[in-house]
């Protein structure tokens, strides 16, 4: 009683107290209470208590449902009968509502059925028990119907803490009782007011995808009831759900496929096609039209393989789907977009024709089908183009409205790509260009209303990858048209995007050299119009300099002047610091195309423009500068070093400007953003220059070592990774590389002596073990014999269970690389050292890996952990299986049965003897599922495996 009163008081506070703090406290208390053993009895008592208010009933029904789903194992062995009786009484009590309470009780009973074998419900399982209850208590049929509806839904509800074997048994129990369930529903059809509920239950049972013969369903009373309800006004939602599930059922392999379901298809498709007229009926309710559109889309998606044959019957469906696509409401029209994509794949992919045998037959049939469907895709281009047009009140769009509009444009762009793949890009372009001429003619060719033209230009942008670079009929006219556009921001932005997208066409055009100056002027105009327009122009500038670099080599000075104005804000340009990097990249590509002597001079000018502001800043108090004031210029260095592919020229510039880099290293080593930017620039300098940078590399590494020990910046580690990759095998660098890795790793292992410390520094862990994997690959001769190798393995063991995804992945990858050492470094001395380190730790590593599979890490990491365990097992074979057996034996049998553990260990043993990895994955998933099935079991398993206890053993290195 005390707990019951406490629950009522907490609920009252949660819903009615004026103080937010009190409401939050009440919510926390109630959540904690739901996890207790007392919650069973308290929730049950309050549900049976006639004085409980609605808030109490809803909370207690949710609590009881949750307890049955997750915590059923808390109850003593004989509790099932009493719990079933109590839940049945409650289902009867709330048979008329409240609906929320009745639904929760129904789900609780269904969850109970998942846990408890059919035999415990009596002959015929829960369906027979339910039929008997309905026969004895016909007044409670509505409540029992809801239970019948949720039963198949709970088959795939992984919130229910059932073992995988039991879940499969339950699915088999239900499918074996399908006929009995449908008989109950058929009998209930006679009760008119229950028809909607009966049809919803029927739809739910169809989702089991049990192979009921099409001939049986075609004449079934439930199917007939659903089809007849399609003509109701308003449309029956339940009947639409049934027909939708029937469509999916007929296409499901488990139902025998389309050929076995032909009698049913012949019944339902004509009924759906008869609804086509409703799509154009403006008096029809929008929700009804949406439901009809959904049925047409389901037919298209499910029978696309049949439709792709191009038969007369299939073309009737295609034309109906075009009508749906033509609907003015985008939500309805877009239902068909997936069909047009799937049909495009069926028509264009070679696999669709593989049964025809010869290449000639395949090509002939492919051409026949493409010819049949081209008119439909031509219509499709016309039907979707207008949907990307800006609304008249576009300036008043909210952020969410604008976001939705952009999503609409990208969805239409995907449909246009599908059309281009069927029609060919050049043909699609012609259709769009005719639309553009029509739009211009309607607005008097003066762009007073810029929106229709902008929409068509967007569509032309969307298909750019599919238009031939030698297209000579339409694109020259489009490019000429762009030069006469008004200075309207959205229109100019799309024009800039289009120019960038057609950069390859511009390069191949016969008049490329004469066109390019006018195109550059369009981009310059875009840079001065708005920030979004400037961003599009900068991106286009990059594409053009990439693809037209040979034609632009003679214009470097002009391009450099544009660049200087853009980064300095001259000429009214509105290019942001971030977008200016596109311009840096663009010029870097042009410089790459220049001869070395010219490239050196061009790169010198570009680097000088980046270095000058940094040198000016260094004359002042560099420490007081905001990081952004420095990184904007350092990032330009990084892009130049990355995209100018002249190693000698880049090395000369990094050597020349090393002095300012050194000053920044020494002045701001505490500043993460500045150090990340600086290390990125150095990384690209190292990557591009290679051996040419040898004079600077020694001091660069000295700076990294010194500052890392004081400031622990992760970027020092990833810069070291790049150095190791380039110079790892260079004998002349061996001494200072060995000193580098020993210093960095020694300091890192001191920083991360517990999982708490690894969790606090995930970026360091990530970059440290990425570097370690690089060392294994590029300088094993320096790394493996090093005294730092064993402590680093210990550090990795400490960090395996870190929750940070990237850090965890890097640690597991490092360990896997060690286990798989023979794949990359097959030298006996290194393998012996590896074995001396891993074998004494093998049992502990295996225990931590199995604990990770069993819940210490999120289930999303299963693949990575499994691969590590797989590598360990393949290397150490039966010894690793023994370690696994030792670990699994620690898990209590209440959590993992003998049978379940034997299956897992047998799969691991098979791997040791060379079995395929796929044989292990299913068993790993099952082990994980069993050990995570609820919080209590997961805590029990983790308490047994103790993944944070390492039991490290010191081993001599030989």
């Amino acid at each position: 009683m005390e707990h019951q009163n406490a629950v009522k008081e907490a609920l009252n506070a949660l819903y009615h107290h004026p103080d937010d703090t009190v409401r939050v406290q009440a919510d926390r208390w109630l959540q904690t209470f739901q996890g207790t053993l007392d919650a069973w009895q308290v929730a049950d008592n309050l549900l049976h208590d006639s004085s409980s208010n609605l808030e109490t009933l809803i909370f207690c029904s949710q609590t009881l449902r949750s307890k049955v789903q997750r915590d059923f194992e808390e109850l003593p062995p004989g509790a099932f009968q009493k719990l079933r009786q109590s839940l049945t009484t409650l289902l009867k009590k709330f048979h008329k509502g409240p609906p929320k309470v009745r639904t929760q009780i129904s789900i609780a009973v269904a969850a109970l059925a998942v846990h408890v074998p059919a035999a415990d419900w009596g002959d015929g399982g829960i369906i027979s028990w339910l039929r008997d209850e309905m026969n004895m208590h016909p007044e409670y049929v509505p409540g029992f119907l809801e239970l019948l509806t949720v039963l198949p839904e709970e088959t795939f509800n992984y919130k229910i803490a059932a073992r995988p074997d039991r879940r499969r048994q339950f699915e088999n129990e239900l499918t074996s009782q399908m006929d009995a369930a449908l008989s109950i529903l058929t009998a209930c059809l006679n009760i008119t007011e229950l028809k909607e509920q009966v049809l919803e239950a029927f739809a739910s049972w169809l989702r089991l995808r049990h192979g009921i013969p099409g001939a049986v369903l075609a004449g079934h009373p439930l199917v007939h009831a659903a089809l007849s309800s399609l003509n109701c006004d308003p449309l029956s939602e339940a009947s639409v759900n049934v027909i939708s599930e029937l469509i999916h059922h007929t296409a499901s392999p488990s139902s025998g496929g389309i050929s076995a379901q032909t009698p049913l298809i012949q019944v339902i498709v004509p009924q759906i096609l008869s609804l086509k007229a409703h799509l154009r009926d403006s008096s029809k309710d929008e929700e009804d039209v949406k439901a009809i559109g959904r049925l047409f889309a389901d037919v298209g998606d499910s029978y696309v393989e049949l439709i792709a044959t191009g038969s007369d019957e299939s073309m009737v469906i295609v034309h109906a789907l075009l009508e749906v696509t033509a609907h003015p409401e985008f939500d309805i029209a877009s239902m068909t977009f997936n069909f047009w994509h799937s049909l495009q794949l069926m028509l264009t992919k070679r696999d669709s024709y593989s049964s025809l045998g010869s290449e000639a037959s395949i090509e002939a049939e492919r051409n026949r089908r493409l010819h049949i469907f081209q008119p439909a895709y031509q219509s499709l281009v016309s039907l979707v183009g207008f949907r990307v047009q800006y609304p008249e009140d576009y300036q008043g769009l909210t952020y969410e409205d604008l976001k939705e509009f952009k999503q609409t444009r990208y969805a239409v762009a995907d449909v246009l790509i599908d059309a281009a793949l069927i029609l060919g890009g050049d043909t699609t372009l012609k259709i769009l260009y005719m639309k553009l001429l029509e739009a211009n003619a309607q607005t008097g060719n003066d762009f007073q209303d810029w929106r229709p033209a902008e929409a068509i230009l967007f569509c032309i942008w969307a298909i750019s990858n599919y238009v031939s670079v030698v297209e000579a009929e339409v694109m020259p006219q489009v490019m000429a048209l762009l030069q006469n556009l008004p200075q309207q921001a959205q229109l100019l932005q799309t024009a800039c995007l289009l120019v960038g997208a057609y950069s390859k066409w511009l390069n191949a055009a016969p008049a490329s050299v004469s066109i390019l100056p006018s195109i550059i002027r369009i981009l310059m105009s875009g840079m001065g119009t708005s920030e979004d327009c400037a961003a599009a122009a900068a991106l286009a500038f990059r594409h053009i300099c990439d693809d037209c670099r040979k034609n632009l080599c003679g214009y470097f000075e002009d391009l450099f002047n544009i660049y200087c104005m853009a980064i300095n804000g001259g000429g009214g340009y509105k290019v942001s610091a971030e977008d200016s990097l596109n311009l840096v990249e663009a010029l870097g590509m042009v410089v790459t195309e220049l001869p070395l002597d010219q490239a050196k001079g061009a790169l010198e000018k570009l680097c000088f423009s980046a270095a000058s502001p940094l040198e000016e800043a260094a004359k002042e108090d560099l420490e007081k500068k905001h990081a952004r004031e420095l990184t904007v210029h350092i990032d330009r260095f990084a892009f130049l070093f990355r995209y100018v592919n002249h190693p000698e020229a880049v090395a000369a510039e990094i050597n020349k400007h090393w002095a300012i880099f050194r000053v920044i290293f020494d002045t701001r080593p505490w500043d993460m953003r500045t150090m990340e930017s600086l290390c990125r620039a150095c990384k690209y300098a190292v990557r591009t220059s290679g051996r040419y940078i040898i004079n600077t590399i020694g001091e660069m590494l000295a700076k990294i070592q010194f500052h890392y020990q004081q400031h622990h910046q992760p970027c020092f580690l990833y810069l070291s990774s790049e150095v190791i990759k380039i110079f790892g095998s260079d004998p002349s660098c061996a001494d200072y590389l060995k000193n580098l890795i020993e210093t960095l790793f020694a300091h890192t292992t001191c920083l991360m002596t517990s999982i708490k410390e690894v969790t606090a520094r995930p970026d360091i862990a990530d970059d440290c073990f990425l570097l370690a994997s690089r060392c294994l690959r590029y300088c094993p001769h320096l790394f493996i014999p090093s005294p730092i190798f064993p402590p680093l393995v210990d550090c990795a063991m400490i960090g395996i269970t870190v929750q940070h995804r990237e850090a965890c992945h890097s640690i597991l990858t490092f360990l896997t690389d060690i286990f798989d050492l023979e794949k990359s470094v097959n030298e006996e001395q290194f393998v012996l050292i590896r074995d001396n380190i891993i074998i004494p730790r093998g049992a502990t590593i295996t225990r931590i890996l199995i604990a990770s599979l069993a819940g210490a890490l999120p289930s999303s990491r299963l693949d990575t952990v499994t691969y590590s365990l797989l590598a360990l097992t393949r290397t150490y074979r039966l010894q690793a299986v023994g370690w696994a057996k030792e670990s699994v034996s620690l898990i209590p049998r209440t959590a993992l049965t003998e049978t379940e553990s034997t299956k897992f260990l047998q799969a691991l043993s098979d791997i040791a003897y060379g079995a395929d990895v796929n044989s292990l994955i299913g068993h790993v998933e099952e082990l994980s599922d069993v050990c995570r099935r609820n919080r209590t079991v997961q805590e029990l398993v983790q308490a047994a495996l103790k993944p944070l206890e390492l039991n490290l053993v010191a081993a001599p290195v030989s």
Side-chain angles (χ1 to χ4, degrees):
M1 186 59 72
E2 184 183 337
H3 285 309
Q4 288 172 207
N5 290 334
V7 168
K8 289 179 180 178
E9 287 172 13
L11 286 167
N12 187 58
L14 178 64
Y15 289 105
H16 304 291
H17 202 284
D19 189 338
D20 285 348
T21 306
V22 173
R23 289 202 297 274
V24 169
Q25 288 173 346
D27 187 41
R28 284 181 188 153
W29 186 90
L30 288 166
Q31 286 185 39
T32 303
F33 171 77
Q34 284 181 312
T36 65
L37 199 57
D38 290 326
W40 287 99
Q41 192 65 57
V42 172
D44 188 65
N45 289 348
L46 288 172
L47 285 166
H48 286 284
D49 185 348
S50 58
S51 68
S52 295
N53 62 19
L54 181 59
E55 291 159 356
T56 304
L57 292 175
I58 290 173
F59 171 76
C60 290
S61 61
Q62 289 172 338
T63 300
L64 202 53
R65 181 262 304 155
S66 176
K67 296 299 284 184
V68 176
Q69 285 180 330
R70 306 296 297 171
D71 300 324
F72 180 69
E73 291 177 69
E74 289 181 348
L75 298 177
F80 162 65
Q81 296 291 349
K82 285 185 179 180
L83 179 58
R84 183 180 67 178
Q85 183 56 48
S86 178
L87 290 171
T88 306
T89 304
L90 291 171
L91 198 55
K92 293 173 183 175
K93 177 181 176 181
F94 297 114
H95 76 282
K96 290 185 178 178
K100 287 183 178 178
V101 177
R102 186 179 68 194
T103 299
Q104 296 300 312
I105 300 300
S106 299
I107 295 172
V109 179
L112 187 62
V114 178
H115 286 296
V116 179
D120 290 7
W121 293 83
D123 291 342
I126 188 172
I127 301 300
S128 294
W129 172 84
L130 188 53
R131 183 189 57 213
D132 294 343
E133 288 286 337
M134 293 171 87
N135 287 336
M136 287 188 291
H137 305 285
E139 69 274 22
Y140 300 131
V141 165
F144 289 125
L145 262 182
E146 178 144 20
L147 172 57
L148 197 56
T149 304
V150 300
L151 264 173
E153 294 169 359
E154 295 307 290
T155 307
F156 308 106
N157 183 356
Y158 285 86
K159 289 180 181 176
I160 299 174
R163 296 173 184 274
D165 279 346
R166 175 58 205 147
R167 196 183 296 281
R168 286 190 288 269
Q169 285 172 10
F170 179 67
E171 185 180 353
N172 291 334
E173 289 164 11
L174 285 196
T175 51
S176 69
Q177 290 294 307
M178 174 78 84
D179 291 343
L182 299 193
S183 296
I184 295 172
L185 292 175
T186 304
C188 292
L189 269 179
N190 298 322
I191 309 170
T192 306
E193 60 269 25
L194 293 180
K195 187 175 179 181
E196 281 285 293
Q197 203 177 346
V198 168
L199 290 176
E200 284 293 0
F202 181 35
S204 180
W205 278 85
L206 285 170
R207 289 184 193 109
L208 283 177
R209 302 282 184 266
H210 180 55
I212 308 172
V216 173
L217 280 174
H220 202 286
L222 288 165
V223 174
H224 176 73
L227 289 171
S228 63
S229 296
L230 284 180
N231 298 312
C232 295
D233 194 10
L235 192 63
S236 159
E237 184 181 347
S239 66
V240 171
N241 290 338
V242 169
I243 304 305
S244 178
E245 291 303 331
L246 284 169
I247 293 167
H248 296 149
H249 174 85
T250 57
S252 170
S254 63
S255 299
I258 288 173
S259 57
Q261 297 291 331
T262 300
L264 179 57
I265 294 171
Q266 290 171 340
V267 169
I268 59 178
V269 171
Q271 288 276 3
I272 293 169
L273 291 175
S274 71
L275 300 171
K276 188 168 74 167
H278 294 311
L279 293 167
R280 298 187 297 272
D281 186 350
S282 58
S283 65
K284 198 75 176 168
D285 181 77
E286 187 181 323
E287 289 304 313
D288 285 358
V289 177
K290 195 175 285 188
I292 292 167
R294 171 189 160 198
L295 290 178
F296 278 110
D298 282 343
V299 168
D301 290 338
S302 298
Y303 306 142
V304 67
E305 194 171 342
L306 274 180
I307 293 169
T309 61
S311 65
D312 292 342
E313 296 86 349
S314 70
M315 295 314 291
V316 173
I317 298 173
V318 169
H319 291 130
L321 284 160
L322 280 170
E323 294 237 11
V324 181
T325 308
H327 196 277
E329 284 295 327
F330 181 74
D331 286 349
I332 294 171
S334 62
M335 290 177 180
T336 63
F337 288 4
N338 187 63
F339 163 74
W340 298 116
H341 177 64
S342 300
L343 180 60
Q344 176 266 119
L345 292 176
M346 291 299 302
L347 295 172
T348 57
K349 297 299 179 188
R350 193 181 184 285
D351 294 350
S352 307
Y353 306 94
S354 56
S355 61
L356 296 175
S358 72
E359 285 297 324
S361 300
I362 288 173
E363 192 61 25
E365 177 62 13
R366 185 172 180 273
N367 290 336
R368 183 190 75 81
R369 293 189 185 186
L370 287 172
H371 179 72
I372 290 171
F373 285 99
Q374 279 172 352
Y377 276 91
Q378 287 170 358
S379 299
L380 184 64
V381 173
S382 300
L383 288 173
V384 299
F386 77 94
R387 298 186 186 278
V388 302
Q389 184 172 309
Y390 272 91
E392 286 187 32
D393 62 342
Y394 73 95
Q395 289 178 319
L397 293 178
T398 64
Y399 173 79
E400 286 302 320
D401 289 339
L402 195 58
K403 185 178 175 184
E404 188 177 331
F405 176 61
K406 286 181 178 178
Q407 288 171 344
T408 297
R409 282 165 73 99
Y410 287 125
V412 169
D414 288 340
V415 176
L416 289 168
I417 289 169
D418 290 322
L421 285 163
I422 298 296
L423 303 171
D426 294 5
T427 302
T428 310
L429 176 66
K430 286 177 186 174
I431 296 170
L432 291 170
Y433 184 63
M434 294 307 296
K435 291 284 179 186
L436 182 60
L437 294 180
E438 288 172 23
N440 284 359
Q442 288 171 6
T443 57
N445 290 316
D446 59 1
F447 297 104
Q448 280 190 347
D449 184 1
W450 55 269
R451 296 175 304 116
E454 189 279 336
I456 302 301
L457 290 176
F458 176 87
C459 294
I460 293 174
W461 165 83
I463 62 165
S464 59
N465 288 339
Y466 306 92
V467 174
S468 165
V469 294
V470 296
E471 201 284 331
E473 186 180 341
V474 174
M475 279 312 300
Q477 297 180 66
V478 172
M479 289 296 174
L481 180 73
L482 295 182
Q483 296 171 42
N484 299 315
L485 295 178
Q487 299 291 302
Q488 200 287 328
Q490 283 77 14
L491 181 59
L492 201 50
Q493 181 181 349
T494 301
C496 290
L497 288 172
L498 189 150
V499 163
Y502 283 89
S503 56
K504 287 183 172 61
W505 180 89
L506 282 167
N507 183 54
S512 176
V513 175
S514 61
I515 295 174
L516 280 173
S518 60
I519 294 299
I520 297 293
R521 281 195 294 273
I522 293 173
L523 300 185
M524 291 169 67
S525 180
M527 287 182 203
T529 301
S530 71
E531 285 191 15
D532 286 344
C533 197
L539 183 63
F541 197 84
R542 189 192 81 192
H543 286 309
I544 288 172
C545 288
D546 184 9
D547 290 317
C548 307
R549 57 177 77 180
K550 282 186 169 63
N551 291 329
L552 290 171
C553 282
Y555 296 94
F556 175 78
E557 289 300 326
D558 295 328
L559 297 174
F560 179 71
N561 290 334
I562 295 171
Y563 165 74
C564 288
M565 282 196 292
I567 66 171
N568 296 324
Y573 286 1
K574 296 177 170 62
V575 182
S576 70
E578 187 177 348
D579 291 321
S580 73
L581 294 175
N582 280 321
L583 302 179
V584 179
E585 184 179 338
L587 266 70
M589 292 167 176
V590 175
V591 171
T592 295
E593 210 57 39
L594 296 172
L596 180 59
D597 57 335
Q598 293 179 37
K600 283 183 176 180
L603 182 59
E604 184 178 6
K605 291 181 74 170
L606 287 164
C607 287
F608 180 78
S609 71
S612 296
L614 293 174
E615 289 167 354
E616 286 300 315
K619 293 174 185 175
E620 303 168 23
D621 192 343
L622 205 57
E623 284 199 37
K624 291 183 179 177
K625 292 286 182 184
H626 191 278
R628 188 66 186 146
E629 295 178 63
L630 305 177
T631 58
V632 65
H633 306 294
I634 301 171
D635 286 344
R636 287 171 187 157
F637 266 118
F639 270 61
L640 290 169
F641 295 160
R642 181 178 184 180
Y643 292 105
V644 173
N645 191 14
H646 280 294
E648 204 174 323
V650 169
E653 289 306 309
I654 186 69
N655 290 336
K656 183 186 300 180
H657 297 290
W658 176 248
I660 188 62
F661 279 38
R662 183 198 302 124
V663 169
I664 298 170
F665 264 125
D666 289 339
T667 310
R668 298 177 68 98
W670 44 267
D671 176 6
M672 179 179 286
R673 285 183 63 186
T674 302
M675 288 300 104
E676 283 181 348
S677 179
L678 196 60
C679 286
R680 194 180 304 116
C682 291
K683 177 180 81 169
Y684 288 124
V686 170
R687 182 179 295 178
T688 302
S689 302
R691 291 281 306 161
Y692 288 105
I693 204 175
I694 198 76
N695 294 334
T696 307
I697 202 74
E699 189 178 352
M700 189 185 292
L701 296 183
K703 291 293 177 193
I704 291 170
Q705 285 176 237
F706 177 74
H707 290 304
Y708 180 70
Q709 294 177 74
Q710 296 177 44
H711 300 284
H712 318 141
Q713 299 285 10
C715 55
F716 295 148
L717 297 170
Y718 81 62
L719 174 53
S720 302
S721 289
E722 194 63 35
V723 172
I724 291 293
K725 182 180 177 182
I726 302 297
F727 297 102
S729 58
D730 189 333
S732 67
C733 302
D735 288 342
Y736 59 70
L737 288 183
K738 185 173 186 295
N739 187 43
L740 172 75
I741 60 180
E742 288 185 359
T743 302
L744 296 179
F745 288 141
H747 195 72
T748 303
T749 54
C750 292
L751 288 177
M752 297 189 292
T753 58
S754 69
I755 188 64
K756 186 177 179 181
E757 289 174 337
V758 178
T759 302
R761 295 184 171 95
D763 293 341
I764 289 181
D766 182 20
D767 288 316
C768 167
F769 289 102
L770 283 173
L771 173 60
S773 285
R774 281 264 171 101
C775 291
L776 281 174
R777 202 167 305 131
Y778 294 105
C779 56
H781 58 292
L782 302 178
F783 182 44
I784 295 174
S786 166
I788 197 59
F789 189 44
L792 197 62
V793 173
D794 293 339
C795 187
M797 290 166 63
I798 290 168
I800 289 174
T801 55
V802 67
Q803 299 302 299
H804 188 275
R805 185 179 60 194
E806 285 79 12
C808 178
H809 184 268
S810 296
I811 291 168
L812 287 168
T813 300
F814 169 62
L815 288 171
T816 302
D817 288 345
I818 295 175
F819 306 149
D820 283 340
L821 190 64
E822 287 90 338
K823 290 183 179 179
S824 56
V825 188
N826 198 9
E827 289 190 30
E828 191 176 348
Q829 56 166 327
F830 296 150
V831 172
L832 283 173
I833 295 171
R834 188 272 314 269
D835 290 347
N836 271 350
I837 294 167
I838 296 301
I839 290 173
R841 296 165 173 81
T844 303
I845 293 173
T846 307
R847 175 168 52 80
I848 298 170
L849 291 175
I850 289 175
S852 300
L853 296 173
L857 286 174
S859 53
S860 58
R861 312 272 169 80
L862 278 186
D863 286 351
T864 313
V865 179
T866 301
Y867 194 77
S868 290
L869 185 61
L870 176 75
L872 184 70
T873 306
R874 282 186 170 165
T875 297
Y876 295 104
R877 300 185 179 276
L878 292 182
Q879 193 171 17
V881 176
W883 295 332
K885 188 173 183 180
E886 186 183 318
S887 298
V888 170
S889 69
L890 299 171
I891 303 174
R893 286 290 163 256
T894 54
L896 188 72
T897 65
E898 186 72 37
T899 303
E900 289 162 342
S901 62
T902 301
K903 281 183 183 177
F904 171 73
L905 291 169
Q906 183 56 52
L908 209 58
S909 181
D910 292 344
I911 289 294
Y913 283 110
D916 185 71
V917 63
N918 293 326
S919 64
L920 179 63
I921 290 171
H923 293 286
V924 165
E925 288 173 350
E926 241 174 63
L927 175 86
S928 175
D929 194 8
V930 169
C931 293
R932 298 171 193 259
R933 63 185 183 272
N934 62 33
R935 188 177 63 245
T936 305
V937 169
Q938 192 166 337
E939 288 173 355
L940 190 67
V941 171
Q942 294 304 309
L945 291 173
K946 298 183 176 67
L948 303 183
E949 287 188 14
L950 300 188
N951 303 329
L952 298 176
V953 179
V957 178
S958 62

